[in-house]
Amino acid sequence: DDKLLTEPLSHPDFFSVKELFTLKDLFDARVHLGHKKGCRHRFMEPYIFGCRLDHDIIDLDQTMQHLQLALNFTAHVAYRGGIILFVSRRRQFCHLVESTARACGEYAHTRYWQGGLLTNARIQFGPGVRLPNLLVFLSTLNNVFEPHVAIRDAAKMNIPTVGVVDTNCNPCLITYPIPGNDDSPAAVELYCKLFRMTIIRAKDKRRQSEAVEELR
Amino acid sequence: TLRLICTTTAVQRKNVGASGPEKYTEAFIKKQIEEFNLGKRHLANMMGEDPETFTQEDIDRAIAYLFPSGLFDKQARPVMKHPTEIFPEQRKIQWGEDGRPFHFLFYTGKQSYYSLMHETYEKLLNVQKHQDQLIAQDLPLQKEKRNLAGSRWLTKIELEEMLLEKVSDDDYSRFIKLLQKLVALPCADIEEKYIQKFSKEVPMQLQKVVIEPLQHDKRGVAFSTGEGKRKTARATAVVYDSGTGKITVNGIDILHYFPVLQDREQLLFPFQFLGRIGKHDMVCTVSGGGRSAQAGAIRLASAKALRSFVTEKEVEFMRQAGLLTVDPRVKERKKPGQEGPRRKFTWKKR
């Protein structure tokens, strides 16, 4: 059992996450498109490649690195049987995110976030609740264009976060930010597809390793 | 939120299944079921009957015999029922042994409500996709109108019972709006089965009053009868078709029976409305009430009788004029502490 858990950590890319996407895929899904210069957040400046006619362009090389790290991390969490919670407050993609979560066998929360969900979980749900081990944000802002409360709550409860940060978002408290577009349907569908594939791959590998262990 | 003041007990009934985290564990309910079965057999032995064929009605009768109770409220009397009927269906623990919740929307807090919204939205998307396919193939969109008049959506309490969790007013109105949006689409017939889960039939109170056909008496004259009431007066009128506008009340001519002009006007109003003043003969009987009440009663009776002589449109006109409606006003009772129904006693400062 110990060997099962420590073996993936020795490889840099145990789940071969790099094969899932290429730069061209990201470009075709319009991930590099940001908001206008006026909407730019100060802390997103390192991730921005440039600005053309007031439109910000996100640096896809950095996005590739960040995305690889984030997907690798989610795969490890899923391999160890962790609870992953998909969060997004975009009404357009609410249904898509929920169906992705259902397909992976993980959980989703694309509705109004009640205040004490993470911090007051004992009282809201019951004494023996298990909190999520990873939060994945498909959009870090809520409907009023402010940072989602869950980022701060997860930081308070020591839960790591993976989040797609757009040019108007604050990447501060997110452990694995992914600079990229969160408004186009094509981009969000790409992210959902990538997360779904990584989680399913990680779970399959876990089942295979357990079967191999049992055979010995 | 509006607080209901005058409502039936059915509306104010609390949904126990939705309140708070579970109070009964599965093991507890299983134990209760075992105890119930054992107790049933003991009771059968006590009553001298066969334990195998002891039904719920026998149990009720036995309990009523062994524990006679003079309490008025039936629900306060001793009762022995199957635990599933006594302990309302409540939600059991939502996660498995390893701690992972069963439902994928568990962390939202209102999992059943949001999963319902998710499913309904999925149906909406399906219908839209189907619609797009039909448009792409240039086929006509079906427009079979769903009968909205005979059905209503589930009430908030019924929805709470279905979902076993509390639903707020905003959530409920959102759900209803989504359903209405789904129903409004032209190709919504595909999801008819799903929609029917949330709509209920309203028993239509079609009180189509049957207009009696004309009867003919010995001389061949067409006539029809009608009954009317006003305050305490009851009247029956027989309207003949022949001619001269003679009206007889209790065997007395109206000029002698109703000396006051106002009462005679009331009698003639239906005929004047239809423009048939000189064309009909009337014989009526009336009892009870006072002068004005009797006049009103005869007016209603004659209007009801005239329905048989007249087209449906004119019947509708009469109904809208108020000739066919029973006047519900009666004398209001006197209340204690007051001099009359509304008049209070004179207020004296000292």
Side-chain angles (χ1 to χ4, degrees):
Chain A
D1 199 35
D2 235 0
K3 201 182 150 205
L4 264 182
L5 294 176
T6 47
E7 207 214 316
L9 295 174
S10 44
H11 303 250
D13 197 5
F14 186 68
F15 302 97
S16 44
V17 158
K18 281 188 193 153
E19 307 163 351
L20 289 173
F21 59 93
T22 57
L23 201 94
K24 182 146 192 324
D25 288 336
L26 294 185
F27 185 82
D28 289 332
R30 301 177 258 248
V31 162
H32 59 289
L33 299 173
H35 289 280
K36 289 249 186 177
K37 195 163 82 175
C39 292
R40 197 193 298 171
H41 194 98
R42 204 187 126 170
F43 296 140
M44 287 300 287
E45 277 158 23
Y47 302 120
I48 291 175
F49 182 72
C51 185
R52 162 96 172 145
L53 294 174
D54 261 11
H55 266 102
D56 283 334
I57 310 292
I58 298 167
D59 189 2
L60 282 181
D61 294 316
Q62 292 188 50
T63 308
M64 289 272 283
Q65 292 165 10
H66 283 92
L67 192 56
Q68 196 258 315
L69 288 170
L71 288 177
N72 191 33
F73 185 73
T74 41
H76 279 272
V77 170
Y79 180 85
R80 286 155 159 258
I83 297 180
I84 302 179
L85 185 63
F86 287 88
V87 179
S88 162
R89 203 60 181 97
R90 306 276 327 229
R91 220 180 111 103
Q92 290 169 285
F93 310 120
C94 146
H95 186 86
L96 175 65
V97 170
E98 285 183 343
S99 1
T100 324
R102 192 192 249 177
C104 303
E106 298 296 338
Y107 308 87
H109 183 112
T110 55
R111 311 283 176 165
Y112 178 73
W113 181 274
Q114 284 169 324
L117 245 170
L118 289 179
T119 41
N120 206 13
R122 293 283 141 71
I123 300 170
Q124 286 212 346
F125 293 116
V129 203
R130 188 176 148 186
L131 287 180
N133 297 108
L134 173 68
L135 290 202
V136 177
F137 287 91
L138 273 301
S139 159
T140 1
L141 301 179
N142 59 17
N143 287 349
V144 212
F145 299 108
E146 277 170 20
H148 203 292
V149 179
I151 305 174
R152 190 202 65 188
D153 279 353
K156 279 192 188 176
M157 303 299 288
N158 284 344
I159 301 171
T161 16
V162 164
V164 175
V165 277
D166 206 352
T167 43
N168 55 354
C169 309
N170 187 353
C172 280
L173 285 172
I174 305 168
T175 22
Y176 289 92
I178 304 172
N181 191 5
D182 64 0
D183 301 296
S184 313
V188 175
E189 275 171 19
L190 177 77
Y191 296 133
C192 286
K193 192 183 87 177
L194 289 174
F195 280 116
R196 193 174 60 235
M197 282 161 71
T198 33
I199 293 172
I200 291 174
R201 247 192 214 191
K203 288 188 173 171
D204 286 337
K205 264 222 160 130
R206 173 68 184 226
R207 259 175 267 148
Q208 275 172 14
S209 326
E210 277 182 345
V212 161
E213 278 293 311
E214 270 189 43
L215 282 175
R216 284 195 195 163
Chain B
T1 48
L2 297 167
R3 197 160 51 93
L4 303 163
I5 304 170
C6 312
T7 48
T8 56
T9 43
V11 180
Q12 283 168 341
R13 176 168 41 104
K14 235 185 2 169
N15 187 11
V16 189
S19 49
E22 37 34 278
K23 294 167 186 116
Y24 318 117
T25 48
E26 265 201 70
F28 174 77
I29 299 232
K30 266 192 194 155
K31 208 181 87 177
Q32 293 289 312
I33 293 177
E34 279 166 22
E35 282 183 12
F36 171 76
N37 287 328
L38 271 178
K40 200 165 87 164
R41 296 184 75 90
H42 278 304
L43 193 64
N45 277 331
M46 266 194 267
M47 299 299 285
E49 295 198 33
D50 187 14
E52 304 297 326
T53 55
F54 206 54
T55 58
Q56 186 61 46
E57 292 160 358
D58 296 325
I59 298 177
D60 292 334
R61 257 185 287 124
I63 296 287
Y65 172 71
L66 291 169
F67 302 100
S69 151
L71 298 171
F72 288 119
D73 191 0
K74 300 272 192 250
Q75 285 170 330
R77 297 185 183 175
V79 123
M80 182 165 159
K81 285 215 164 102
H82 194 81
T84 43
E85 289 170 44
I86 300 181
F87 299 106
E89 218 187 289
Q90 282 190 337
R91 300 225 277 166
K92 297 131 202 151
I93 298 186
Q94 306 285 334
W95 52 87
E97 268 175 21
D98 56 351
R100 303 201 94 193
F102 297 131
H103 202 275
F104 77 108
L105 288 175
F106 169 75
Y107 287 106
T108 54
K110 309 178 205 170
Q111 63 178 48
S112 345
Y113 169 71
Y114 284 133
S115 76
L116 184 72
M117 293 290 272
H118 178 78
E119 270 174 34
T120 321
Y121 192 69
E122 205 173 307
K123 304 287 179 203
L124 193 90
L125 288 177
N126 271 350
V127 169
Q128 279 178 346
K129 213 170 67 171
H130 189 254
Q131 213 176 321
D132 291 335
Q133 278 173 356
L134 287 184
I135 291 176
Q137 294 164 9
D138 282 329
L139 290 167
L141 302 161
Q142 293 157 327
K143 237 320 187 172
E144 292 165 23
K145 273 206 170 169
R146 213 173 146 268
N147 184 21
L148 293 161
S151 59
R152 64 166 174 91
W153 298 117
L154 287 183
T155 56
K156 195 175 98 128
I157 297 187
E158 282 164 3
L159 191 67
E160 277 186 4
E161 267 171 35
M162 210 169 98
L163 300 177
L164 287 180
E165 66 179 15
K166 276 207 160 62
V167 176
S168 78
D169 294 326
D170 292 321
D171 292 339
Y172 173 70
S173 56
R174 274 219 179 141
F175 176 60
I176 296 297
K177 279 183 195 162
L178 188 61
L179 278 177
Q180 282 167 349
K181 200 172 156 187
L182 175 60
V183 163
L185 292 175
C187 303
D189 312 318
I190 310 159
E191 309 298 343
E192 195 54 48
K193 238 200 257 176
Y194 184 76
I195 298 169
Q196 268 166 16
K197 277 192 232 167
F198 305 107
S199 66
K200 276 200 171 169
E201 290 278 317
V202 166
M204 291 278 272
Q205 287 168 347
L206 285 171
Q207 276 175 352
K208 265 260 171 181
V209 186
V210 178
I211 301 174
E212 284 165 13
L214 293 169
Q215 299 156 39
H216 295 264
D217 73 353
K218 283 171 277 186
R219 282 173 298 152
V221 181
F223 73 93
S224 86
T225 41
E227 284 172 2
K229 64 174 181 176
R230 172 85 213 274
K231 276 194 193 174
T232 332
R234 300 285 180 267
T236 42
V238 183
V239 178
Y240 294 94
D241 202 9
S242 48
T244 62
K246 242 194 348 186
I247 306 179
T248 312
V249 183
N250 281 356
I252 307 170
D253 193 38
I254 53 164
L255 270 176
H256 298 287
Y257 198 84
F258 290 120
V260 183
L261 175 67
Q262 179 199 334
D263 305 333
R264 279 173 286 173
E265 270 183 356
Q266 286 286 296
L267 291 205
L268 288 174
F269 180 33
F271 301 98
Q272 182 211 0
F273 185 80
L274 296 168
R276 293 172 177 231
I277 295 187
K279 296 177 197 168
H280 291 288
D281 242 1
M282 189 159 77
V283 175
C284 23
T285 45
V286 67
S287 62
R291 181 199 83 207
S292 195
Q294 285 185 344
I298 302 173
R299 182 183 107 173
L300 180 63
S302 56
K304 283 195 178 168
L306 277 172
R307 275 184 314 196
S308 327
F309 291 92
V310 138
T311 56
E312 268 194 38
K313 249 193 181 177
E314 299 212 293
V315 169
E316 185 60 26
F317 289 151
M318 278 217 288
R319 187 190 71 92
Q320 285 186 358
L323 275 168
L324 299 173
T325 338
V326 176
D327 201 333
R329 297 178 289 177
V330 284
K331 202 159 177 169
E332 200 175 313
R333 74 160 264 197
K334 178 195 168 319
K335 284 107 192 174
Q338 292 175 352
E339 211 176 290
R342 299 288 169 105
R343 161 126 175 99
K344 321 283 186 278
F345 289 124
T346 321
W347 177 73
K348 293 200 182 102
K349 200 159 181 178
R350 40 188 75 83

